[in-house]
Amino acid sequence: MLPTGSHTPQLGSQPQSTTLLNQTGHVRCLQTLSQLLASGQESDGDEAKDSASALALALNDKYVFSGSQRGHIYVWSRETFRLERVLYGHTAGCLALELDAGRGVLFSGGGDGKVRAWDVHALRCLYVVHAGVNSGAILSLAYSAARDALILGCQNTSIQVFDVANKDAVDREQRAKEMAARRSRFFDGSTDPISVCASYMTAPSRPSSPTDSAEPEEPAEEHYVVFERTITQYAHSGYVYSLLLSGGEEERLFSAGSDGSIHVWRLANG
């Protein structure tokens, strides 16, 4: 049964609307920013194209940020559309980007199960958040300014909340012990469990700008973890691909999963 006033199109009939997005003149490409060319790779290889795929976008008044399959974040000037910087840190694809405009912080979610927080002014990594045990990739992010909390949508079907405002309530020693104790077998076929949490050791330095003479990236000074008490397991019957916050006095979280469902959540206070 169709709702009142609806129209059932005949097979093969032409659409009557003249405001289709794919109609010539309605959408025009003004500029192309190429991660493939920026990465210095040859453009005729499928592997090179895949590794430079643009998977996520965010922007502020000064920059456009794009996350790549390689895990790099490309920083483009909104004024000139030139590549200003490349941010390194993720060891797998950068799948989600979200801004805390008030603090000037960019959050990036990676296939390595980590969220990295970047200063959008200094373009350096401030800290790393390790998702819960067996989380897999971080597929989506949403930041609530009202609660000062970051919400993670994960490959293992969970939704996780990281309390940005009180992130230092647990001291560094306790956080280090928690990370050292964690082991993951997520999608791992080996006999021995593998650790998903990085130690405080510095990763090999890589250039942080397109030029070879650039200073190496500063390592993150702090590492944090998402604890079990702020994780909703089995939020979907599949990957949590997208998160949106409604805003307003009664903020609601919308989540979309590979199970074909969209859930609406009330966020707990505190």
Side-chain angles (χ1 to χ4, degrees), residues 31-195:
Q31 189 74 32
T32 299
L33 311 178
S34 175
Q35 292 185 164
L36 185 64
L37 297 178
S39 63
Q41 302 179 72
E42 296 296 330
S43 60
D44 57 354
D46 290 340
E47 184 176 349
K49 291 179 181 178
D50 289 343
S51 65
S53 295
L55 305 179
L57 288 173
L59 59 84
N60 62 8
D61 293 339
K62 188 175 181 180
Y63 298 119
V64 176
F65 304 94
S66 60
S68 76
Q69 181 71 32
R70 300 178 68 192
H72 308 342
I73 300 171
Y74 294 81
V75 184
W76 310 85
S77 166
R78 287 190 61 175
E79 182 178 357
T80 65
F81 295 108
R82 294 177 64 88
L83 181 66
E84 297 289 331
R85 198 78 166 263
V86 180
L87 306 179
Y88 300 98
H90 288 292
T91 56
C94 178
L95 306 171
L97 293 171
E98 179 77 347
L99 276 167
D100 172 1
R103 284 196 184 89
V105 172
L106 173 72
F107 296 106
S108 60
D112 52 7
K114 301 168 191 171
V115 174
R116 301 183 76 88
W118 308 86
D119 184 326
V120 298
H121 304 295
L123 297 178
R124 66 182 183 87
C125 186
L126 300 172
Y127 57 87
V128 177
V129 180
H130 300 266
V133 178
N134 298 328
S135 295
I138 310 301
L139 302 175
S140 51
L141 294 171
Y143 173 72
S144 170
R147 289 171 170 77
D148 199 7
L150 183 68
I151 305 166
L152 291 61
C154 300
Q155 187 177 7
N156 73 339
T157 77
S158 70
I159 292 177
Q160 309 184 14
V161 179
F162 176 67
D163 188 352
V164 178
N166 299 300
K167 65 182 184 298
D168 292 307
V170 179
D171 64 37
R172 180 181 292 185
E173 184 178 354
Q174 288 180 279
R175 284 182 264 131
K177 288 180 179 179
E178 172 69 17
M179 287 190 290
R182 289 186 175 186
R183 295 292 183 269
S184 173
R185 298 181 64 88
F186 197 81
F187 292 151
D188 175 42
S190 63
T191 302
D192 298 324
I194 59 172
S195 174

Side-chain angles (χ1 to χ4, degrees), residues 243-260:
L243 295 172
L244 283 175
L245 286 165
S246 65
E249 293 183 5
E250 296 186 5
E251 193 171 48
R252 296 289 184 262
L253 174 71
F254 292 76
S255 63
S258 61
D259 54 2

Side-chain angles (χ1 to χ4, degrees), residues 224-244:
Y224 299 93
V225 295
V226 179
F227 289 95
E228 190 68 27
R229 63 181 178 271
T230 62
I231 297 176
T232 300
Q233 302 288 359
Y234 313 113
H236 281 266
S237 299
Y239 302 166
V240 184
Y241 276 123
S242 186
L243 295 172
L244 283 175

